[in-house]
Amino acid sequence: MIMTFGLKDFFSNPTVAGFIGLFGGAFLAWMGYGMIKSSINKSVSLENQGAGNSAGMRNLVLAGALVSATNPYFILWWASTGMESIRQSYTSGLIGVFFFFIGHVLSDFVWYSAISTAFSRGKKLISDVVYRWIILLLGIFITAFSIYFISSGWKMLQTL
């Protein structure tokens, strides 16, 4: 969206793009580290996750949107990693941004559907051990992705 308002040239600038890659990658590394650490320390658990209050249960979609929009991690992710993802997808033009958006929305849908299914079926579907392994593997994936972003940003800054 931001690209359509004339900021394409700003974000295409190698200095800006390089710093977005570095900071976006650093933010992803921080998120991945937190996921790996919480999995190893066993501080993440399905039992620790709250189901919400009765007001939130009445309109789960609105509650989810409000939580996402006011979550500082959501804003930081889009300001750093999300912007770098959009910048890289824009190398394929608007169709690249479109496919990135569709892929992102579908991945959110699949992830939150899996989480809601896990909560609705309880411990029969997924145990804390399996949940921690999933968090660990996703943390490793995010950390690897952060290395890619950091190296891409560094390469862009090297060309200056």
Side-chain angles (χ1 to χ4, degrees), residues 11 18 42-43 61 72 101 104 119 134:
F11 288 109
K42 298 181 181 178
S43 61
V61 173
F101 176 76
H104 185 76
F119 277 120
I134 290 170

Side-chain angles (χ1 to χ4, degrees), residues 15 27 33-34 44 50 53-56 76 82 86-87 90 99-100 106 118 148 153 156 159-160:
T15 303
F27 182 70
Y33 168 76
V44 64
N53 59 28
S54 61
L76 283 172
I86 291 170
R87 189 197 63 74
Y90 192 74
F99 280 115
F100 165 77
L106 285 175
Y148 171 73
M156 288 198 155
T159 63
L160 299 176

